[in-house]
Amino acid sequence: MAKYCFVTINMTTRLPQEKVLLSGNSSNLGNWEPSKAKVCKKIDDTHFSARCRFELGQNVEFKFVFDPDWTSVEKGMWIEEIKNHSLVAEKGLVINIDVYNWAK
């Protein structure tokens, strides 16, 4: 039987957003389908957070988007493509990520 844990993923963006989604390689992140992604909790216009349940030790990859498609995916400081974020799920893990730009 698999053991599970909760991971908190916090995101800060320089450009205010109404809604941010977390899309990734697990079923609770929509299996890379932004239309099925996890909606992050809005703290304010530039801060969002998601509490995610994963199998203990699971390798997770993810990205942020703000529309339910890939045209609004996060970008780097120079609006370049960036690698997927990754983590290994462990109890109480908190990840803080800065998003510099968006594709749109």
Side-chain angles (χ1 to χ4, degrees), residues 31-49:
N31 288 317
W32 294 115
E33 293 183 49
S35 63
K36 297 179 182 178
K38 181 171 185 68
V39 177
C40 296
K41 178 182 177 187
K42 183 176 181 176
I43 309 301
D44 59 38
D45 285 347
T46 59
H47 296 88
F48 296 82
S49 184

Side-chain angles (χ1 to χ4, degrees), residues 32-97:
W32 294 115
E33 293 183 49
S35 63
K36 297 179 182 178
K38 181 171 185 68
V39 177
C40 296
K41 178 182 177 187
K42 183 176 181 176
I43 309 301
D44 59 38
D45 285 347
T46 59
H47 296 88
F48 296 82
S49 184
R51 187 170 186 251
C52 306
R53 182 178 181 251
F54 301 115
E55 284 188 31
L56 193 60
Q58 180 178 351
N59 291 311
V60 180
E61 292 188 13
F62 61 93
K63 283 192 174 179
F64 295 99
V65 298
F66 67 81
D67 283 329
D69 61 36
W70 287 110
T71 61
S72 65
V73 69
E74 64 178 298
K75 297 287 185 178
M77 188 175 293
W78 310 108
I79 312 178
E80 76 275 15
E81 294 291 328
I82 59 170
K83 293 180 181 180
N84 297 339
H85 303 287
S86 62
L87 63 87
V88 176
E90 61 182 65
K91 184 178 179 182
L93 181 63
V94 176
I95 303 286
N96 297 303
I97 296 174

